[in-house]
Amino acid sequence: MTDRVDSADQASDSEAGSELSARFAVPEMDCPSCAQKVDKSLQRVDGVVETALQPTTGTATVTYDPERTAEADVVAVIEGAGYEVTGSGNGFEGGADSGMSIAPPSEIWTSSRAIKTWVGAGFLVFGLLFEFVLTEQNVDIATILSSPLGLSDGLFLVAIAVSGSPVVRSGYYSARNLSLDIDLLMGTAIIAATGIGYFVEAATLAVLFSIAELLEDYAMDRARNSLRELMELSPDEATVRRDGEEVTVPTEDVAVGETVVVRPGEKIPLDGTVLDGESAVDESPITGESVPVDKSDGAEVYAGSLTEEGYLEVEVTSKAGDSTLSRIIEMVQVAQENKTDQEQFVDRFSGYYTPLIVGLAILTAAVPPLALGWPWETWFVRGLTLLVIACPCAFVISTPVSVVSGITSAAKNGVLIKGGNHLEAMGAVDVVALDKTGTLTKGELTVTRIVPLGDHTETEVLRYGAGLERRSEHPIAEAILARTDKAGLTDLPTPSEFESLTGKGIRAEIDGETYYAGKPALFEELGFDLSRTRGVTDGGAIPDGVPRRNSSGREVFDTNVLTELQDEGQTVVLVGTETELIGAVAVADEVRPTSQRAVERLHECGVDHVVMLTGDNEGTARAIAEQVGVDEYRAGLLPDEKVAAIEELQAVHGDVAMVGDGINDAPALVTADVGIAMGAAGTDTALETADIALMGDDVGKLPYLYRLSRTANDVVRQNIWTSLGVKALLAVGVPLGYVSVALAVVVGDMGMSLGVTGNAMRLSRLKPSDDR
């Protein structure tokens, strides 16, 4: 019936070397009670070691001992619980080689269940027509146990047999598995109503409940679509250059080190490094950023990214199952297994709710007729109605469908949330703590300002500075040389006798004269009195209060500028000889353009306190803090001191989310209630250690994450309490005669299940662009 699962992640050796894992597509298993029924059946099988059932994806992963049971036996048990297995291993989306699997789309409206429902509905409509409208034509057609059977009754019985048979069949499997679920309740109600001659109620219940099930299947399939879209981002095939020829092969057959060819408009099939070619690449499937990134020789690229105009040859650096996109997909799958506190509450509550309402239904049907002599017919129907209300489906699915919607929506926008519990926790944080370097700033030094002295020009300052730094490997040198390249300067002087002055700067010979580049302290050692350094025009000193400009009108460097730059948290590199200062180059870790707006939006969204934690010095920390607008900053912190700061913030303010690079900040990320890693697309450590990962280097995604989490928590609460409130209102109305069987099915079961699913789908409409 199904294919054997042979891949590494589907069939794996246990410690004893004998256990296998198989993954099956079970699309009809779409609610927690369905999964519970399958789980009970599997637990009774000798040889089944472990089960992982995912109703949100319609999949079941079973670990078993092949010496005691076979895969075919596992399939038989699942189908014996009433759920068809439609695929296994490579037989469905995700399959054996993918980190994630999901049941294929169902032909819901043309399935055998749907056809039976429509046929039954037709007979029900004609039955109601003869029962209440064409009463004169409602002739007797048979007699059963001395009771006449009218034409309408015959039509109702056909409707019950056609539409009710799948319900009764599922109820039988539930009873066999001792599972008190909706199928058992509805099947019992249909049989009981039919048995005592309440054909109208039985037929109405069978048809309406079947329609409700179809609608719920459709809603769940829509929810699964978001997961399917995530999986479809990764190409199935790659064009590989082998022995001088280009061949197209499945991506799982491409080895690390091989070269794949990607033409304009094609998706990059595997993670790798560009060997040749140039192209703008849309990396939004990974980072969530819509602006294409230019890629050329040596650049990293990710599977699922889309080339726009250029041609690329890429050396593969990871296999299909190990790509960044595959890890994201797999983590989204695993995230569904981490239940939120609200989901755990729902599971516990539903265990009491259903037996309680079933008990009330029995008492409602039996006590008034027996104790008070009231009519059996009326109170039996009311008891039957309470049985319908006893179904907790809408209540039970209210949380998982919201969590899946939120997590998959976030993944498609470049935010990886590794569990529903983390989604819930993020929406409840009171404080967001931000690392400075690489989070609020770019983490790369940049030349921010060039200040010439005297009659020297910015170009001269940059030329001599870059000439001196050509042989240096310091990050400041890289920043100055990058600025030189950007300015298009190519005629740089060639230094000789290069010497690094540790902790101070550098020295070299240029055209027979010694030049220096370094800290202000270096030039003070050379004899410069920086406190009296002034620019000069026409041979005279510039008096206080007069703008400091040279003869060309350019800004003249003085100690006021030096102090200003240092107060802004910038590093100042002076350039000159032993007798003359040429100018200064200011270098800083530039603040991300989105940082200030992100902090502002966090406040607007409801975060009480935003704090910056950094190991940098006080001056730099103060300047960055003032620029981005955080409420508080703490400077000079070592990793263990960041942990202490997080603990202090938790004690004073409440729940804390920590945002860092996922490596240096790992202890603080673990200590915080929610750990968020920045720029995790190419960082295995960040993907593994953080609770939430921002795949791109965009701190601007934080407000979106917080807003999504808050909205998800609101949606879950709305779903839980609305479904409970409606059920309670209907339950109160039943004994009073205000609620019919049809109303209980349409509103209490079908309506609420569709309502909570539709409400959860709202999360997919939230976009990061709303917070820009």
Side-chain angles (χ1 to χ4, degrees):
M1 178 177 292
T2 55
D3 298 327
R4 185 62 177 268
V5 183
D6 295 318
S7 72
D9 66 329
Q10 297 294 314
S12 58
D13 292 336
S14 68
E15 293 180 3
S18 61
E19 293 176 4
L20 297 176
S21 291
R23 188 175 292 164
F24 307 96
V26 193
E28 294 176 353
M29 185 185 69
D30 56 9
C31 67
S33 62
C34 304
Q36 186 179 45
K37 191 190 307 183
V38 173
D39 188 54
K40 284 183 177 180
S41 297
L42 290 170
Q43 294 303 328
R44 289 197 291 268
V45 177
D46 180 43
V48 170
V49 179
E50 184 179 8
T51 61
L53 308 177
Q54 290 289 341
T56 49
T57 58
T59 60
T61 303
V62 182
T63 302
Y64 63 95
D65 183 349
E67 296 180 359
R68 291 186 288 162
T69 191
E71 183 177 315
D73 297 328
V74 174
V75 172
V77 170
I78 295 174
E79 295 193 331
Y83 300 94
E84 181 184 3
V85 176
T86 62
S88 170
N90 288 319
F92 63 100
E93 291 187 66
D97 297 304
S98 172
M100 182 177 181
S101 56
I102 186 169
S106 301
E107 298 296 332
I108 295 168
W109 305 116
T110 57
S111 64
S112 61
R113 175 73 179 268
I115 293 172
K116 291 178 181 178
T117 301
W118 308 138
V119 172
F123 279 98
L124 173 63
V125 170
F126 282 110
L128 292 173
L129 186 64
F130 283 105
E131 179 75 15
F132 298 107
V133 181
L134 304 175
T135 54
E136 293 182 359
Q137 284 76 32
N138 189 21
V139 297
D140 293 342
I141 57 174
T143 301
I144 298 178
L145 299 176
S146 303
S147 298
L149 190 70
L151 176 59
S152 61
D153 295 330
L155 293 170
F156 291 140
L157 284 172
V158 174
I160 293 167
V162 176
S163 294
S165 58
V167 182
V168 174
R169 175 178 174 272
S170 297
Y172 162 73
Y173 288 123
S174 298
R176 196 170 71 173
N177 288 284
L178 302 179
S179 179
L180 184 61
D181 59 13
I182 183 62
D183 295 322
L184 178 57
L185 295 175
M186 294 299 179
T188 301
I190 291 170
I191 292 173
T194 304
I196 62 173
Y198 291 172
F199 303 138
V200 176
E201 288 78 6
T204 301
L205 182 57
V207 171
L208 289 181
F209 179 68
S210 293
I211 293 174
E213 289 289 281
L214 291 174
L215 289 171
E216 288 175 18
D217 289 345
Y218 173 72
M220 181 57 71
D221 201 57
R222 285 283 303 275
R224 290 172 181 169
N225 276 340
S226 59
L227 298 173
R228 294 189 187 104
E229 289 171 4
L230 194 60
M231 293 176 58
E232 289 169 359
L233 294 174
S234 185
D236 298 323
E237 296 181 330
T239 302
V240 187
R241 180 167 291 143
R242 292 175 177 172
D243 300 326
E245 296 183 0
E246 294 182 4
V247 293
T248 301
V249 298
T251 52
E252 57 265 25
D253 292 342
V254 181
V256 173
E258 289 197 279
T259 300
V260 297
V261 174
V262 188
R263 292 181 170 80
E266 293 182 348
K267 286 183 179 179
I268 295 172
L270 298 144
D271 286 4
T273 304
V274 176
L275 293 177
D276 188 25
E278 294 182 358
S279 178
V281 175
D282 178 6
E283 294 185 334
S284 58
I286 307 298
T287 66
E289 294 299 323
S290 58
V291 179
V293 181
D294 291 331
K295 300 289 184 177
S296 57
D297 295 4
E300 288 187 353
V301 291
Y302 305 112
S305 302
L306 181 69
T307 58
E308 296 208 332
E309 297 178 354
Y311 166 91
L312 295 176
E313 292 185 9
V314 178
E315 180 182 358
V316 176
T317 57
S318 64
K319 296 196 69 175
D322 297 325
S323 69
T324 300
L325 182 59
S326 294
R327 294 202 305 275
I328 292 172
I329 292 172
E330 183 174 5
M331 287 177 179
V332 170
Q333 166 106 343
V334 173
Q336 300 170 55
E337 300 173 7
N338 299 327
K339 292 187 176 181
T340 67
D341 290 342
Q342 291 172 328
E343 192 171 359
Q344 293 175 30
F345 161 74
V346 167
D347 289 345
R348 291 192 301 269
F349 184 86
S350 62
Y352 297 102
Y353 169 82
T354 300
L356 176 64
I357 301 299
V358 169
L360 288 176
I362 295 172
L363 292 174
T364 299
V367 171
L370 292 175
L372 304 174
W374 292 353
W376 277 99
E377 179 179 350
T378 300
W379 289 97
F380 177 82
V381 172
R382 292 178 183 178
L384 193 70
T385 306
L386 273 177
L387 272 186
V388 176
I389 294 171
C391 166
C393 278
F395 177 60
V396 171
I397 70 171
S398 60
T399 301
V401 73
S402 302
V403 169
V404 169
S405 178
I407 289 175
T408 53
S409 175
K412 287 188 287 187
N413 285 291
V415 179
L416 177 60
I417 303 173
K418 295 169 62 177
N421 51 335
H422 304 311
L423 177 69
E424 180 182 49
M426 185 62 202
V429 299
D430 305 292
V431 180
V432 173
L434 301 152
D435 178 47
K436 178 186 76 68
T437 305
T439 301
L440 290 172
T441 65
K442 294 181 178 179
E444 298 176 357
L445 292 178
T446 305
V447 173
T448 59
R449 193 170 174 185
I450 300 172
V451 184
L453 184 64
D455 285 328
H456 293 288
T457 65
E458 290 186 7
T459 300
E460 289 177 306
V461 176
L462 191 57
R463 281 188 70 253
Y464 282 103
L468 290 166
E469 299 285 6
R470 288 174 69 175
R471 296 189 180 180
S472 174
E473 296 180 356
H474 196 280
I476 289 178
E478 294 178 4
I480 293 175
L481 290 171
R483 178 61 177 267
T484 304
D485 291 340
K486 185 177 180 180
L489 298 179
T490 56
D491 57 336
L492 300 181
T494 302
S496 60
E497 305 295 331
F498 178 86
E499 182 182 359
S500 175
L501 307 173
T502 305
K504 299 175 183 179
I506 54 176
R507 174 175 59 197
E509 296 288 328
I510 296 178
D511 297 332
E513 188 173 4
T514 302
Y515 281 79
Y516 297 83
K519 296 179 179 179
L522 170 62
F523 285 84
E524 287 181 334
E525 289 182 7
L526 293 173
F528 287 90
D529 185 355
L530 296 182
S531 63
R532 294 204 302 266
T533 301
R534 291 290 186 270
V536 178
T537 57
D538 297 330
I542 300 177
D544 292 337
V546 177
R548 293 177 171 83
R549 303 284 172 181
N550 61 20
S551 58
S552 301
R554 301 186 186 92
E555 182 181 19
V556 175
F557 173 78
D558 62 19
T559 51
N560 289 341
V561 175
L562 175 62
T563 302
E564 176 188 333
L565 293 173
Q566 290 174 332
D567 287 344
E568 291 174 356
Q570 303 188 51
T571 299
V572 177
V573 177
L574 297 180
V575 180
T577 65
E578 294 179 350
T579 59
E580 182 186 20
L581 280 172
I582 299 174
V585 179
V587 179
D589 184 4
E590 192 174 0
V591 173
R592 296 182 186 276
T594 56
S595 293
Q596 183 177 0
R597 178 57 180 163
V599 172
E600 183 181 316
R601 281 292 294 151
L602 285 173
H603 283 129
E604 292 174 358
C605 291
V607 176
D608 298 330
H609 200 68
V610 181
V611 58
M612 183 181 76
L613 306 180
T614 179
D616 216 331
N617 63 73
E618 173 74 19
T620 300
R622 181 177 61 253
I624 300 297
E626 291 175 353
Q627 186 173 348
V628 300
V630 295
D631 301 300
E632 177 187 355
Y633 71 89
R634 302 188 185 190
L637 300 179
L638 297 174
D640 60 325
E641 292 173 325
K642 287 186 179 181
V643 170
I646 293 292
E647 292 173 342
E648 182 182 336
L649 290 168
Q650 289 170 327
V652 175
H653 297 282
D655 293 346
V656 177
M658 172 68 191
V659 188
D661 60 12
I663 302 174
N664 298 328
D665 298 311
L669 292 176
V670 173
T671 304
D673 296 280
V674 183
I676 305 171
M678 280 277 294
T683 310
D684 292 341
T685 304
L687 280 174
E688 297 297 332
T689 60
D691 301 321
I692 299 173
L694 306 183
M695 304 307 292
D697 282 327
D698 186 4
V699 73
K701 294 283 180 67
L702 274 177
Y704 160 74
L705 170 61
Y706 181 74
R707 192 162 50 89
L708 175 71
S709 302
R710 284 283 296 268
T711 305
N713 286 350
D714 290 343
V715 165
V716 169
R717 282 191 291 268
Q718 292 163 8
N719 284 350
I720 290 174
W721 297 114
T722 300
S723 57
L724 274 182
V726 169
K727 293 278 190 182
L729 190 62
L730 292 173
V732 170
V734 169
L736 301 176
Y738 294 126
V739 179
S740 65
V741 171
L743 184 63
V745 173
V746 172
V747 177
D749 182 62
M750 175 174 63
M752 285 313 306
S753 294
L754 291 175
V756 298
T757 304
N759 195 29
M761 291 299 100
R762 290 194 300 119
L763 297 174
S764 63
R765 295 201 294 266
L766 296 179
K767 301 295 181 185
S769 57
D770 298 336
D771 293 300
R772 299 301 186 186

